[in-house]
Amino acid sequence: MTPAGAWTKAFAALLAAAIVIPVLAVAPLAFSEQSFLQLPPQDWSVRWWGVFFGDASWIRALLTSLEVAALSCLLSVTTGTSAALGLLRLGPRMRALATGLFLGPMVAPVIVLAVGLYALARSLGLVGSTIGLVLAHTMLALPYVVLNVGVSVAGLDPRLALAASGLGASPWRVFRTVTLPSILPGMLGGGIFAFVTSFDEVVLAVFLAGPSVKTLPVRIWEEVRVEYTPVVAVAATIMIILAVIGSAMGRLVTRRTA
Amino acid sequence: MSAVAFRGIAKRYGVAEALFPLDLEIASGEFISFLGPSGSGKSTLLNICAGYIEPTAGALFVAGRDVTAAPPRRRNIGMVFQNYALFQHLDVFENVAYGLRVRRTARAELAQRVKDALQAVRLDGFGGRSIRSLSGGQQQRVALARAMAIEPDILLMDEPLGALDKQLRKEVQIEIRRMHVARPRTTLYVTHDQEEALVMSDRIAVLRGGRLVQLGTARELYSRPVDSFVARFLGESNLIVGRVAELGDGRAMLSAQGLAAPIEGYAAQGLRMAEAACALIRPEHVRLVAGGQPARIVERLFLGEIAALRLVLPSGAELWSRLFSSDAPAGDEIEIGWDRERVSILPETS
């Protein structure tokens, strides 16, 4: 590769700024002294952090988000891993079909999913329940797990399992001692994606959340509509921090396998 | 009682016959090679033995026990794969210990047996190493140690040297032979390399197109192959194509165009009068004989104390000769002959 020229570098910097600045702009807002959102803030303070952590409803929203994200992460990793392993055993045509089906939620418009899921959840009485939202987010996160684990599974030498069973291992032991360690990075990577997907998801959450399961993004959205105070920026900054940590971990895990 | 017995074992995939019904008995402590080109069914046979492939018909006995329906984990086999199939997330010690841990071997005994197994493949002190840090030859030796640590009833090897370069191949080949001599185990060895089979085996089973073509010691296969396929597959061979002119009493005469006289030799099974056949004359059995078959030297290769000569007969047929002490240069007309006891007349199978 030839070294990038000055113009290329400048253009790249501009592009990076265009992507990052809107995201980072929210951080200074969180440290504003004022009661309304204005860039740049005229005085600095951490008073809105105090407001955020002093308000039970914000804390509850954060905890709800973490709970829903953790549960749908767990659920999507277990089901997604089973799916990825199962896909390997299908014939080529069935596998293509089933893979397409599993990846569907990734390409389907979220609003369409939301409308459909809302109708379904209503008839099942799951609107406003944690389990309903967890199931919806699991569906949304599943493709990432199937993809991530799928890559690990594809790189798995089938003869390793044969060797283990030849040495006397039962199918469960083969899975636990040979298959699992090999696909663990894929599972971790998929799990982090699943967590982040659920954590910042707002459309399904708006449709399915009742007053009892209000996630952080939903709470932010509601807040913005009512009052436009920097406490929203605080919540957003917390989300950014968690998302950055999550994707950094994801990168780390996937890097190690590559 | 034989260590392994195949009774009418066959495998079919849809309409394709991978293996025709086959009977084979392998003695305890015997090293037997399955030799053949790809698609000959040799790996299928080995995988049936391991339990990785279920036969379509027949029964398999190991140490007198019918294991046809037993899963691999209940067969007590040691399998060595071409690509090593080592567990990358475990170190050398844990790889070798894998089968022992499955068997819940006590800690002290486990440590001792892993140590012994590593010693047997001359990798003492490698226990803590990661698999990635080993060379291909060392990895295959770890795989060997892993297979042997469980004291298997039979040792199966599927082209274990296939992934190694020539130098390492020799090294591991000698290692396997050395271990077998030190401690004979019933071993089934799959290869497409005739030299490997000749060097290592007590007996060789030559397969082609899913059928057992010939079974015997290296010497038997080399000196009395059943047909031209086996003759071509093992060692260097001159095959002169002609027709059976006389047949009887275990002897046959082959007449071919451009020959001064018909070639006489041992008659293999399946020859028919006046039908196509070929005479096998190994290069080392072609000698200078005054008044013999005229031939012209086309090429001369210096091989140290011996020379290899490429000869052409008046018919245009080519012949290689070895152990030729003559200094005759290329282009010379000479007269050659061979010991009729060394010649075999074989059915032509091309």
Side-chain angles (χ1 to χ4, degrees), chain B residues 93 100 103-116 149 151:
Chain B
F93 183 96
L100 299 173
R103 286 164 175 72
R104 300 181 189 288
T105 309
R107 187 182 305 198
E109 194 198 336
L110 180 138
Q112 188 57 47
R113 278 170 69 176
V114 171
K115 191 163 172 267
D116 291 346
E151 295 291 333

Side-chain angles (χ1 to χ4, degrees), chain B residues 234-245:
Chain B
L234 278 129
E236 284 176 49
S237 52
N238 294 307
L239 290 162
I240 297 170
V241 182
R243 289 191 180 278
V244 180

Side-chain angles (χ1 to χ4, degrees), chain B residues 81-84 140 158-166 169 172 189-193 196:
Chain B
F81 297 84
Q82 178 172 353
N83 71 340
Y84 327 132
Q140 194 54 292
D158 194 358
E159 308 221 15
L161 311 181
L164 303 175
D165 63 43
K166 207 173 173 188
R169 189 179 287 226
V172 180
Y189 187 98
V190 162
T191 180
H192 62 263
D193 186 312
E196 255 171 63

Side-chain angles (χ1 to χ4, degrees), chain A residues 99-111:
Chain A
T99 308
L101 211 61
F102 276 117
L103 301 190
M106 208 160 63
V107 286
V110 181
I111 188 69

